[in-house]
Amino acid sequence: MEKANKLIDGEQSDALLQQKDGQPNEELDEFKERFVQINKLAEIGQLTAGILHEIQNPLNFINNFSRLSVDLVGEIKEILEKKQGQPLTEDEQEDLLFLLNKLEGVNTKVGENGGRIGRIIQSMLAQTRSENKTVQFEPVDLNQLLEEFTKLAYQGIRGEDRSFNVSFLFQLDPAVGLVKLAATEISRVVLNLVNNACYAINEKRKLALEGYTPQLAVSAVRLTDLIEIKIRDNGMGIPDAVKEKIFTLFFTTKPVGKGSGLGLALSRDIVTVMHKGHLSVVSEPGNFTEFTIQLPLNL
């Protein structure tokens, strides 16, 4: 997949774009569509390590809680078998109620972690579906989406560089609640922005600056008529000259094979065209970059 990225985001894409004025629009559109599909497959491939890691954690919880459930059932049966049909004492009733409440709590946790695995799998299946299918707008737990896909993107980076670590700061307003949006597409925006943030943080980390602590902050708040999301990193920052071009299709400052110049352009279209929202960036070179997504609530 890296080889495919090099083929597309290197000399081939430059040559095609230089010739685009003399080409039929259909050919350029076909190239863009092929480019999007290849880049999408590359993103999914990069996320494999992250998916495995994020699934492993709730799976461990499920296995542990399953064993605990069996133990609790055994204790309940032991109490009942001792009585052999005789009335329970007050203490025995309290013990039994305690065990049943604990069993209920354990199985609630099993359901929560199983649901998390299911959401991850369904989200990644949705990422692989054809772009030609109708985009579905439906109520989505946006805070949950932000946290899970931020961690998936991070673990994808970690899969390539195990020395990379970052501390997360999630400030997700519970009032955000369910938001009507195209979850698959917004998750792609989150993946792109977090991938870029992690890349910038990792490049700064490699400078071995004294006292530098990599940090990624993700926030979401419900305002009067919109949801505002901010993704902020304390990485390398973006020079003003570059900032003016970052949403331009095929523009990238990353080395060949590391960036396609597609992610931010697609993210902008998903937010502004598909969701009638707004995507902006502020940055201070050497200090931070912060992307702000505004999604209207009246879709």
Side-chain angles (χ1 to χ4, degrees):
M1 191 56 63
E2 182 176 343
K3 184 177 180 181
N5 268 339
K6 289 181 179 179
L7 174 65
I8 294 298
D9 68 10
E11 296 177 359
Q12 187 184 40
S13 64
D14 291 340
L16 181 58
L17 291 176
Q18 289 168 5
Q19 299 170 13
K20 66 180 179 180
D21 290 337
Q23 289 180 329
N25 289 335
E26 292 81 0
E27 186 174 344
L28 182 58
D29 289 342
E30 182 182 349
F31 170 77
K32 288 180 180 179
E33 183 177 350
R34 182 162 59 93
F35 190 95
V36 168
Q37 291 300 327
I38 291 176
N39 186 74
K40 189 174 181 180
L41 289 173
E43 289 175 354
I44 293 169
Q46 183 188 36
L47 284 173
T48 300
I51 295 166
L52 293 176
H53 183 276
E54 288 300 307
I55 287 179
Q56 188 62 51
N57 285 337
L59 185 59
N60 287 338
F61 274 113
I62 288 173
N63 290 335
N64 291 335
F65 285 138
S66 176
R67 287 191 289 269
L68 181 56
S69 293
V70 172
D71 292 340
L72 289 171
V73 170
E75 291 185 46
I76 292 171
K77 289 174 67 176
E78 186 177 339
I79 291 175
L80 296 176
E81 287 172 357
K82 283 181 179 179
K83 300 307 295 183
Q84 295 183 347
Q86 298 298 315
L88 295 172
T89 66
E90 186 173 338
D91 286 344
E92 289 170 334
Q93 290 179 25
E94 289 181 0
D95 289 344
L96 193 57
L97 183 60
F98 171 79
L99 292 172
L100 288 171
N101 285 336
K102 194 169 183 180
L103 182 61
E104 181 182 32
V106 165
N107 281 285
T108 297
K109 291 294 184 182
V110 169
E112 290 174 356
N113 284 277
R116 184 180 176 195
I117 291 175
R119 287 192 303 274
I120 292 172
I121 292 173
Q122 289 302 315
S123 295
M124 297 318 298
L125 285 174
Q127 293 285 340
T128 64
R129 290 172 189 152
S130 171
E131 293 284 347
N132 295 324
K133 290 192 176 181
T134 304
V135 175
Q136 297 293 322
F137 282 76
E138 55 189 3
V140 174
D141 186 333
L142 183 56
N143 285 343
Q144 188 176 76
L145 183 152
L146 289 170
E147 183 169 354
E148 291 186 349
F149 275 87
T150 294
K151 291 179 178 179
L152 276 175
Y154 165 68
Q155 291 298 339
I157 300 293
R158 283 266 298 161
E160 297 182 349
D161 183 356
R162 300 304 297 178
S163 66
F164 175 63
N165 287 285
V166 65
S167 61
F168 292 109
L169 176 61
F170 287 105
Q171 296 176 311
L172 305 174
D173 181 3
V176 169
L178 298 178
V179 182
K180 189 176 181 182
L181 48 78
T184 300
E185 302 305 321
I186 290 298
S187 66
R188 290 189 68 189
V189 174
V190 175
L191 289 173
N192 280 320
L193 296 183
V194 174
N195 276 334
N196 286 341
C198 288
Y199 179 82
I201 290 171
N202 204 19
E203 290 301 295
K204 188 172 180 178
R205 178 188 68 86
K206 292 174 183 176
L207 299 177
L209 300 174
E210 185 176 355
Y212 176 61
T213 302
Q215 187 177 74
L216 180 63
V218 180
S219 66
V221 61
R222 178 182 285 263
L223 303 178
T224 303
D225 57 353
L226 59 84
I227 299 294
E228 186 171 81
I229 302 164
K230 292 182 181 292
I231 297 178
R232 181 186 178 104
D233 69 76
N234 64 345
M236 295 295 291
I238 306 172
D240 290 340
V242 172
K243 190 165 59 177
E244 295 175 358
K245 304 175 183 177
I246 60 172
F247 294 115
T248 303
L249 190 63
F250 303 126
F251 175 80
T252 180
T253 59
K254 295 178 183 177
V256 173
K258 293 294 183 181
S260 64
L262 185 64
L264 287 178
L266 279 181
S267 296
R268 177 201 56 196
D269 288 348
I270 289 170
V271 172
T272 62
V273 179
M274 186 181 295
H275 288 82
K276 312 302 181 187
H278 185 66
L279 176 62
S280 61
V281 60
V282 294
S283 184
E284 185 177 309
N287 288 322
F288 76 91
T289 297
E290 181 178 83
F291 283 89
T292 300
I293 303 168
Q294 293 181 330
L295 300 173
L297 288 170
N298 58 353
L299 281 176

